[in-house]
Amino acid sequence: MKEMKQYLDDNRQRFLDELLELLRIPSVSADPKYAPDVRRTAEAISRHLTAVGVDNVEICETAGHPIVYGEKMVNPKAPTVLVYGHYDVQPADPLELWDSPPFEPVIKKTKLHPDGAIFARGSCDDKGQVFMHVKAFEMMLKTDNLPCNVKFMIEGEEEVGSKNLEKFCHENKKKLECDVVLISDTSIIDNETPSLTVGLRGLCYMEVEVTGPNKDLHSGVYGGAVANPVNVLCTMIASLHDEKRRVTVKGFYDDVEKVSAKERKMMNAAPYDEKQYMKDLNVSELMGEKGYTTVERTGIRPTLDVNGIWGGYIGEGAKTVLPSKAYAKISMRLVPNQDPAKIEKLFQKHFEGIAPKSVKVKVNAHHGGYPVVVPTNSVEYKASEKAMEQAFGKKPLPQRGGGSIPIVAMFDQVLKAKSVLMGFGLDSDDIHSPNEHYGLFNYYKGIETIPYFYKYYAEMKK
Ligand code: BES
Ligand code: MN
Ligand code: MN
């Protein structure tokens, strides 16, 4: 592994410059206006894969954004690692809250990243983390240290629910055959406290429309006599939590897996500074389900949140109006063994049930995804644990992630392969928010750690 350290040292600046170039392309998957940029990003990734020696690189067309695939088969007896990641990013809005333009990466020091961090949309989620795999592969191949077969599958629709990737996996089971799926799209606890993600929450995302009168009305002439759908929607939404901050949707908790006292104790032993957490967010109190700590609330408990709410007049100044319609986007984060399809039905029924007669409601579903748990007694986990320990000089803690990666549950079901969630971001890296950033320490540490995973995994699979 010494040659690899040397290789990394010799190529540090280039590894960074190449990533910065990739971050300049605005691969926003949600907005059709960026489709050409999304494609340019796929092309850039495919060029990088070819350049570092990956074979059979192709841009696979889908009904949506393309998937980049490539492979390097070095030894039929060696295990095969499927690297999954996404090159699409979240919209950069609101633009005015960025300190520098989202697609013009700059490096700045921060308190948590004293060596500097790359500020750009996608730096951490997930282009920066995907690119670590490309560079780690380059290092392994160039220094004759590639002990596993590798397949790359980098998609462009993770941020919009991975619907076409699901189809692609079903149709390409043979091509995607592998022993393990390796993913860097999650966080570590902090740069001194490495961790491996052992769970992801599922997702059920709904949109509701509440209609009152058949047209917008003068709020003086009609106000007080006719139900205002915005008022009604707010009341309905407020009723979705009880005084213990539990979700009131009937049946919501029915399938929730009970986590053992032992696991809860372990989760709570991880370093966490609540005062600092509140200070970073500028809130004087936290709010969540009674009886659970912050790590538990985000790791093992299901939640419901309004992501957006609108209706009526939202332009400059004041307009007196009693609007005809009100809308909200409501998401639920799910935990094992909740089923997003079942929760969708429960929510729909509940929401329709709580609507007063004065309004009509429509409830529609967006994408969803199943929750994931990663066992810690597998060869896959042990190899990633050893790799992290080697690179950080500390054994990583298993940690549940609060976010979702909808396709991961599918890998289990369709490809019959376990996933390793070895991400290197920090929860405070502002992914999806203005000023997203990724630490240089984290970027290079990832590149250093990945080859250890290949090494230990190949050894342990022998
Ligand atoms: N990389 C994130 C998920 C993540 C972040 C997991 C941090 C654990 C820790 C992923 O790109 C993401 O944002 N997923 C979406 C789901 C998707 C359907 C929009 C999410 O969690 O909101
Ligand atoms: Mn991601
Ligand atoms: Mn994301």
Side-chain angles (χ1 to χ4, degrees), residues 86 125 158-159 185-186 200 203 333 367 403-404 406 431-432:
H86 63 96
D125 185 15
E158 195 276 340
E159 300 292 8
D185 193 21
T186 51
L200 291 168
L203 186 66
R333 295 282 170 176
H367 51 241
S404 312
I431 65 171
H432 295 208

